[in-house]
Amino acid sequence: MVKFSREYEASIIPEWKAAFVDYKCLKKLIKRIKVARRDAAPLLIAAGAATASGVGSYGFSVLDPVRALTARFAGGRAAAASPEQEFLERADEELNKVNEFYASQEGQLLERGEALIEQLRILADIKRILADHAAARGRGGRAAALVRSASMPPPSMSPSLNGSSGRHLLSGLASPQSMSDGSVEMQQAAVAEGAAVAEEVMAALERNGVSFVGGGIAGKAKKANKDGNKQLMGRGALLQLPATVRIDIPPTSPGRAALKVWEELVNVLRKDGADPAAAFVHRKKVQHAEKNIRDAFLALYQGLELLKKFSSLNVKAFTKILKKFVKVSEQQRATDLFSEKVKRSPFSSSDKVLQLADEVECIFLRHFAGNDRKVAMKYLKPQQPRNTHMITFLVGLFTGTFVSLFIIYSVLAHVAGIFSSTGSPAYMDIVYHVFSMFALISLHVFLYGCNLFMWKSTRINHNFIFDFASNTALTHRDAFLMSASIMCTVVLSLVINLFLRNAGATYTDALPGALLLLSTGVLFCPFNIFYRSTRYCFMRVMRNIIFSPFYKVLMADFFMADQLTSQIPLLRHMEFAACYFMAGTFRNHAYETCTTSSQYTHLAYVISFLPYYWRAMQCLRRYLEEGHDINQLANAGKYVSAMVAAAVRFKYAATPTPFWMWMVIISSSGATIYQLYWDFVMDWGFLNPKSKNLWLRDQLILKNKSIYYVSMMLNLALRLAWAQSVMKLHLGQVESRLLDFTLASLEIIRRGHWNFYRLENEHLNNAGKFRAVKTVPLPFRELETD
């Protein structure tokens, strides 16, 4: 049975850790009470025995008076500084701390809920208004078509007025070009219609509490409708909406950023007669606004669930600790009074959070799930899948198959002399790159499975930290199955390739290409097989990394980018495979084209440069978004130093002179020291001279502290793998390939080893400063005006 203290520590929300009950401190106070009562018991027994026997103050022994005085002094000292009273005072402080935090979080969530309900009401009004005008235009479309056929060019030459291209309003308001091409009457009608839409939208916003500076638009619209042709060119200025209200879509992605830039450009270049409502309402913006509001409701619901968890955990902690207290101190009345105080506390008795959670469920069900409760609960309360023994069976099956096939391949390769000095160099140059790529991927997935197993064993809530859905997140068994199946497929392909080569078949090198196509097809497969949610999440994270800094940086994004910095050999293998098969050199075995050309070497440098560049851009994005945190700039400097070291090593490989060798040593040593400091101090939280654990953190999950020191030494040794590039060892082709693969594997092992401590520090200290409750920007806001 797991102790409650361990379960409690594992369930604590990292960002709110300081607000939870300090259960360990209260347990220490109870131990102090137990020790004090145990020490005082012999003295009290002796004093009671002396009194019961009727012995006078001076008794039969010379030491009796001394014992009596000692007993009285001990009792007086206990009364003056009672451990029981100290416990109750500290528990009262903890209770006040919990209540204050709960009240502040409850107020913020309630305020957020009210704002979201207002936002949803505004969105519903705008969609209704635009839909009504779209329907009105549809009813009047036939009559307008008869007028246009008599006075306008054929339909193929006239611009569309239906808004089907999606560039303008949902209601399909006329564009400036269409207004200038039609008759004066049609232009007046279009402007009047745009003014009517704008007027109704403005009225809807005002009804929902959005105020405007400088008066409304109704009077201007009515005046514009009565004006003649002479004032037609000036109506655009009269009918423009005030600049105080906008649908604010934050540029969290390149698409949204481009939309925002385009909107600003259109507003600057607007001509007279443009649609008055188009300044802030069009299809894309309304769609983004609706998505933002839906995401905001999801974030609000998750925040309410976390606050309910905060309440229940603290209630349970107080209940457990008070049971221990009454058992040790035997002060039943004081315990009952404090228990009643806990029950009456806001964090325990308030039902506002429960009511708001029920209201959010109803709103989400009605507006975003089409009254389908199953769909709504899929988003609001995702359920974890049940563990089955089938996955464990498949892991064992694929692992045994892989071992058997690997033995068969080793025997066949030895008999064929593939890896001897007289073996075919083309085989090593082709097969090595392709199959090493899959082997490194499999190793990384296997180590990720080990990380998942360790995180689960130590109760590190990795799904919460990475913001993964609990019903689709990988388990360690899933990761082991993926790794074993990849390696089984790879070794099977190696055996088949070797059989075809020995049989003299043509185009045997097409088999590695088929393996690449198969893996690509599985990755992009649209069907719900082979862990589709995980594959799509991986592709989404990779998109965010490649287009850094245009996407908002989340924990999963920069964690995955860190993994890529350890997979540079894998990226080079991918470069060779793409060159070899896309250039068609596998037909004539001209593999030198993809290894010796200047374009290939330059591209190899770019690939070595890219992961560090992406990670540095992520740091700069976080620096701008997180209040100019100087630590993000320092972190970016670490990756810049790695890029400089990679550039110097690339130059040394091209011109191996003593000068460049010393430059490699200096630059790589500086980058290594920088990286080691960041690993130990910032990512792991170690090297703290004031820690109660020598040079470690105050809080550790693993009980055996020697593991941390061994891990630090191992990380230091593996960080020095770059020294091999300076040694210039004279090895054969097979030995050189084997050394490169070994070094690449060691770097992946170092990264997998680093992952555990990085997330341990994140779980304990929130090193990445992620937020427990996400704040989604609301789309409808009022701008400040002078």
Side-chain angles (χ1 to χ4, degrees), residues 11 87 187 348 391 398 405 450 514 565 571 625 633 653 659 703 723:
S11 303
F87 171 85
Q187 293 179 29
S348 177
I391 295 179
F398 280 115
L405 288 174
C450 295
T565 60
L571 297 179
E625 287 186 343
L633 281 184
F659 170 78
K703 292 183 178 180

Side-chain angles (χ1 to χ4, degrees), residues 373-672:
R373 185 167 184 81
K374 185 176 181 181
V375 174
M377 291 299 105
K378 178 182 177 181
Y379 289 99
L380 294 174
K381 293 182 178 180
Q383 300 294 324
Q384 286 187 337
R386 296 180 179 177
N387 292 326
T388 63
H389 296 292
M390 179 57 67
I391 295 179
T392 306
F393 168 75
L394 291 176
V395 170
L397 177 64
F398 280 115
T399 302
T401 306
F402 158 68
V403 173
S404 302
L405 288 174
F406 186 78
I407 294 174
I408 293 173
Y409 173 74
S410 301
V411 172
L412 292 177
H414 177 72
V415 171
I418 292 295
F419 299 113
S420 64
S421 57
T422 58
S424 173
Y427 181 85
M428 285 300 299
D429 281 312
I430 299 165
V431 175
Y432 164 77
H433 286 286
V434 175
F435 294 103
S436 291
M437 177 175 64
F438 287 101
L440 294 177
I441 292 174
S442 177
L443 177 61
H444 211 136
V445 174
F446 172 78
L447 290 173
Y448 181 65
C450 295
N451 289 143
L452 291 174
F453 176 77
M454 288 299 299
W455 291 334
K456 181 180 178 181
S457 301
T458 54
R459 296 178 176 269
I460 294 176
N461 196 350
H462 59 281
N463 287 335
F464 174 77
I465 294 174
F466 288 131
D467 196 22
F468 288 160
S470 57
N471 60 333
T472 57
L474 280 184
T475 65
H476 63 279
R477 293 185 181 88
D478 296 323
F480 290 151
L481 177 60
M482 292 172 63
S483 175
S485 59
I486 290 172
M487 285 309 301
C488 184
T489 306
V490 168
V491 179
L492 177 62
S493 301
L494 282 172
V495 172
I496 296 174
N497 178 268
L498 201 56
F499 270 119
L500 294 176
R501 182 177 293 273
N502 292 336
T506 58
Y507 295 131
T508 56
D509 294 337
L511 185 62
L515 185 61
L516 288 173
L517 289 176
L518 175 64
S519 61
T520 305
V522 170
L523 179 62
F524 292 97
C525 178
F527 303 109
N528 193 13
I529 54 176
F530 303 123
Y531 302 102
R532 184 180 65 176
S533 58
T534 300
R535 291 187 282 110
Y536 281 16
C537 178
F538 170 76
M539 289 189 288
R540 183 171 60 252
V541 170
M542 288 300 300
R543 178 205 62 190
N544 297 351
I545 294 172
I546 292 172
F547 290 101
S548 299
F550 300 109
Y551 281 95
K552 182 178 177 62
V553 182
L554 304 177
M555 176 71 186
D557 297 337
F558 69 76
F559 191 85
M560 184 64 194
D562 278 326
Q563 310 304 306
L564 291 180
T565 60
S566 295
Q567 283 284 18
I568 292 176
L570 169 66
L571 297 179
R572 289 180 177 173
H573 292 323
M574 292 177 65
E575 174 201 11
F576 175 85
C579 173
Y580 185 74
F581 290 103
M582 292 177 66
T585 54
F586 70 96
R587 297 178 180 177
N588 52 8
H589 302 289
Y591 52 86
E592 299 89 355
T593 307
C594 297
T595 55
T596 59
S597 64
S598 59
Q599 293 86 353
Y600 180 88
T601 54
H602 293 155
L603 188 58
Y605 166 69
V606 171
I607 287 177
S608 302
F609 177 88
L610 274 178
Y612 300 113
Y613 167 78
W614 290 331
R615 193 66 187 88
M617 291 298 102
Q618 288 181 336
C619 293
L620 292 179
R621 171 76 184 238
R622 294 189 67 192
Y623 170 76
L624 295 175
E625 287 186 343
E626 298 177 5
H628 295 80
D629 184 5
I630 197 65
N631 286 332
Q632 296 300 332
L633 281 184
N635 199 10
K638 179 186 72 171
Y639 296 104
V640 171
S641 68
M643 285 189 282
V644 172
V648 174
R649 284 199 293 270
F650 175 77
K651 180 65 177 177
Y652 174 66
T655 56
T657 61
F659 170 78
W660 285 110
M661 182 186 71
W662 282 108
M663 291 300 295
V664 167
I665 294 174
I666 294 172
S667 62
S668 298
S669 299
T672 301

Side-chain angles (χ1 to χ4, degrees), residues 141-163:
R142 294 183 179 180
L146 294 175
V147 175
R148 285 197 304 270
S149 63
S151 60
M152 295 181 65
S156 59
M157 299 176 61
S158 63
S160 173
L161 297 178
N162 294 328

Side-chain angles (χ1 to χ4, degrees), residues 128-129 132-133 195-205 207 217:
R128 177 185 56 78
I129 292 167
D132 290 345
H133 279 270
V197 174
E199 182 181 352
E200 290 194 36
V201 170
M202 297 287 288
L205 293 173
R207 284 197 305 272
I217 194 173

Side-chain angles (χ1 to χ4, degrees), residues 672-686:
T672 301
I673 294 172
Y674 202 157
Q675 292 163 357
L676 286 172
Y677 170 81
W678 206 269
D679 285 349
F680 294 154
V681 178
M682 304 303 294
D683 290 340
W684 292 2
F686 295 164

